[in-house]
Each structure stands twice: as C-alpha cells, then as structure tokens.
Amino acid sequence: MYFAALLARTEDGWEASDTELDDVETLADLADLAREAAVDDDTVVAFIEQEDAWFGVIRVDGEEDPRVFLSNAAIAARSSYGAMLTDELLGRDEDDATDDLDSLDLDGTEDGEPESDNNVDDDPLEAVNGSDGPPHGPLGDSALLADLGVSDKELLALNGDALSTIADSLGCTEVLEAVR
C-alpha cells in the first residue's frame, strides 16, 4: 500500500494534498502533477511511501528538473513507483528493462538441453539488471531538502516514519497528517 502526498510551499507556509498516482507512469508525469499543485512556481515536495519499506522524496522547483531521493533503491525497485524512480536515477528507460527481459533465457535451456551453471544468481533483479542493479541503500540527491532544514546526514539516517520526521523539520506536520 502506498501513501503519496504533495506539499506545496506558499507565502503562508505549506499546503498539503493527498494525491493519486494512478496516472503517473514517469518521473515527468509526477513532476507535472507537482507543478499543478505549486503556488507561483514555488517549491513542491512529493512524498511516496510504501508501508515503511521505503520512502521517496521528489522536489520540484518551478520548471527545473525534479530532484529525487530514495531511502532504499533495491527495495523500491521491486514496486511500480519505486522502480520508476530507481530507473530514472540510474539513467535507465523502459526500453532498457524490456531489452534486458527479451535477452533472458527464461527456461534455462539452449537447444532444449538444461544448462549446467553452478553460479546461478538467485536474485531476479540482478539477473535482469546485471551489475547495474540498484544499490541496497539510499539513492539520489540526499541534499535535496538541505535548504529547507533537513540535512543530507539527517535524511540518510531516517527510517520508520521518515515522512513525519521530515514534515516536522519542514514545519508542516499538521498539514501532512491532515491528508494521511
């Protein structure tokens, strides 16, 4: 189960809105959604969380490219929205993943005979992505909230209810909790 919210900075503080990600297929879609929530092209921070397994923070400042941070890329890559963000951070596009899947020998045979490979990789993500799979840990711009009061070290140390901790630092706990 996902939780997603947009926090738009205004002259009077932060405005939060619960958001549906059903129509979001790319980071560009998510950035467009954030820009729609923006007030006067000011900063919008999008939060995505999946049951305390991982969280993502996406920051959009006007028309600048979005900045992204994932708490654990390997875990996030196993979910649809996390995979979208992970692929973007790793510079992969959907065609790369499709090409990797097309090149796999899914039945493990060549000419109908089983291969004898004692070095079988049990990690399906590693089998698909090869050595350029997502890291087991944080990925992205850990300093994306530094000017808003959350240092990179603080962001990297978060776990559990990270979004509430971030909201506390931004001074918008009440507005975030209102949409939770």
Side-chain angles (χ1 to χ4, degrees), residues 73 115 136:
E115 291 182 17
H136 294 278

Side-chain angles (χ1 to χ4, degrees), residues 1-177:
M1 178 121 197
Y2 289 99
F3 169 74
L6 295 173
L7 293 172
R9 188 165 62 174
T10 69
E11 288 181 10
D12 300 325
W14 293 91
E15 291 180 8
S17 59
D18 187 10
T19 188
E20 288 294 323
L21 299 177
D22 294 340
D23 295 330
V24 172
E25 295 180 9
T26 65
L27 180 58
D29 293 342
L30 184 57
D32 290 343
L33 189 65
R35 287 183 185 104
E36 290 172 13
V39 177
D40 297 327
D41 286 337
D42 211 342
T43 299
V44 176
V45 178
F47 292 137
I48 301 176
E49 177 182 61
Q50 186 179 19
E51 299 174 350
D52 292 331
W54 66 272
F55 69 90
V57 180
I58 301 88
R59 178 177 176 163
V60 178
D61 294 300
E63 292 301 317
E64 292 180 27
D65 288 340
R67 297 165 62 189
V68 180
F69 173 81
L70 293 173
S71 64
N72 190 318
I75 293 172
R78 295 181 183 130
S79 67
S80 59
Y81 299 114
M84 170 192 69
L85 296 171
T86 302
D87 287 347
E88 181 72 29
L89 289 169
L90 293 174
R92 298 173 51 94
D93 60 25
E94 290 180 30
D95 293 336
D96 290 342
T98 303
D99 291 346
D100 288 344
L101 288 174
D102 289 342
S103 68
L104 287 178
D105 183 10
L106 296 177
D107 66 359
T109 63
E110 185 174 326
D111 297 327
E113 296 297 320
E115 291 182 17
S116 60
D117 183 3
N118 294 334
N119 297 324
V120 175
D121 189 352
D122 292 332
D123 184 355
L125 188 60
E126 183 76 1
V128 172
N129 290 335
S131 63
D132 63 346
H136 294 278
L139 180 65
D141 183 356
S142 62
L144 81 164
L145 300 175
D147 64 321
L148 299 175
V150 182
S151 74
D152 58 337
K153 290 180 183 180
E154 291 170 313
L155 190 60
L156 290 168
L158 291 177
N159 55 31
D161 194 12
L163 301 186
S164 292
T165 303
I166 294 169
D168 284 344
S169 295
L170 298 178
C172 60
T173 302
E174 292 176 14
V175 294
L176 180 64
E177 291 304 318

